[in-house]
Amino acid sequence: MKRSLSRWLLALSGAVALGFLPAQHALAQTTKKAQVVILATGGTIAGAGASAANSATYQAAKVPVDKLLASVPELGNVADVRGEQVFQIASESFTNAHLLQLAKRVSALSKQKDVDGIVITHGTDTLEETAFFLNLTVHTNKPIVVVGSMRPGTALSADGALNLYNAVATAASPTAAGKGVLVTMNDEINSGRDVAKSVNVRPDAFKSAWGDLGMVVEGQTYWFRAPVKRHTVNSEFDIDQIDSLPQVDIAYGYGNTSPVAYQAFAAAGAKALIHAGTGNGSVSKDVVPALRELRAKGVHIVRSSRVMGGGFVLRNAEQPDDQYDWVVAHDLNPQKARILASLALTKSNDAKVIQRIFMEY
């Protein structure tokens, strides 16, 4: 019996050496973990409070990327990760220059053979804007995931560690490829186009009006729908060809509103104005004449809705957009409409072309 066992072990070792093992065994021996790069920009996920009871009072952008990764050793179970500190700021201070620099770095990394996915840690205040900008400008099918947290890592029930783990798991998953830029928060996977911050003190803050794309559970991704709007490789905007962005500003509609803000933004150089209107992007009768005058001077007017959770602006409803040569933002909220309008102006100054862009993206 011992002699037979020895012969069997010898034969097995020979099969290993000669490559005659079954395919599934050979695959198990050669499969490598996905290579995921984490670009850190600051925000609450890198924040710290004075005590564990401080979940809403803290300093953002305090923890560097190496310490952030070291605090979640489980990341190594789902991918080989490496970190890079791009910025260390609170996201309300993000500028167009930050957007351009970050997107160009993401684009460069996406072209590297040793990068399978990219995660961007980000403050939640403007996370949705950055995710949308990347979704429009980075030409890759590789997973790009933007992630933040609503509580600093020092707080009781901090959400950053699990959010980051889920982001890396999503970026490492081949199933996330080709779905555009994603946002993972509170176990959900949302489209960077649709998602918005809806509350500022709860971990379930980020929601999409049209529903999430999927979920992450114990490092596994589960999908329920896919984006249909143009993005990433199908976008006409390419960050490698964009070095500056036209000025676009947002003015808020409200009861007793006046045209002062619109006129001030235009005087300061705005090429387009996003009207964050009530309801269906409604415009007060006291503001319409000023907006028509600004449009006659070459400033584009884009009607959006300030409605939370699904503003939807119909063309030529509430206002005769065709007659005034205005644009409607469709279902994009004001802050995302600003991003798209600015990019659209890098392609054309024709309101009809800009309207076509808003309907396709």
Side-chain angles (χ1 to χ4, degrees), residues 207-288:
K207 298 294 181 184
S208 294
W210 320 124
D212 52 302
L213 302 182
M215 294 190 68
V216 192
V217 181
E218 296 183 352
Q220 296 294 317
T221 55
Y222 299 89
W223 303 92
F224 308 111
R225 69 181 185 94
V228 297
K229 295 288 188 176
R230 292 177 65 179
H231 60 75
T232 53
V233 293
N234 294 317
S235 174
E236 64 199 89
F237 310 108
D238 184 353
I239 190 58
D240 295 340
Q241 308 300 322
I242 301 172
D243 295 317
S244 63
L245 294 169
Q247 180 182 337
V248 178
D249 291 299
I250 303 170
Y252 208 76
Y254 53 91
N256 200 47
T257 190
S258 79
V260 172
Y262 306 89
Q263 293 165 333
F265 281 134
K271 304 303 181 185
L273 295 172
I274 309 300
H275 169 68
T278 54
N280 186 13
S282 305
V283 185
S284 166
K285 63 179 178 59
D286 296 322
V287 173
V288 169

Side-chain angles (χ1 to χ4, degrees), residues 54-97:
N54 292 126
S55 63
T57 306
Y58 55 86
Q59 284 187 301
K62 301 297 291 183
V63 181
V65 65
D66 55 342
K67 291 186 178 180
L68 184 63
L69 301 191
S71 70
V72 193
E74 294 81 3
L75 296 176
N77 297 334
V78 291
D80 287 332
V81 299
R82 62 183 190 269
E84 182 178 320
Q85 193 80 48
V86 184
F87 314 119
Q88 186 66 298
I89 58 176
S91 71
E92 65 268 22
S93 297
F94 251 68
T95 64
N96 285 352

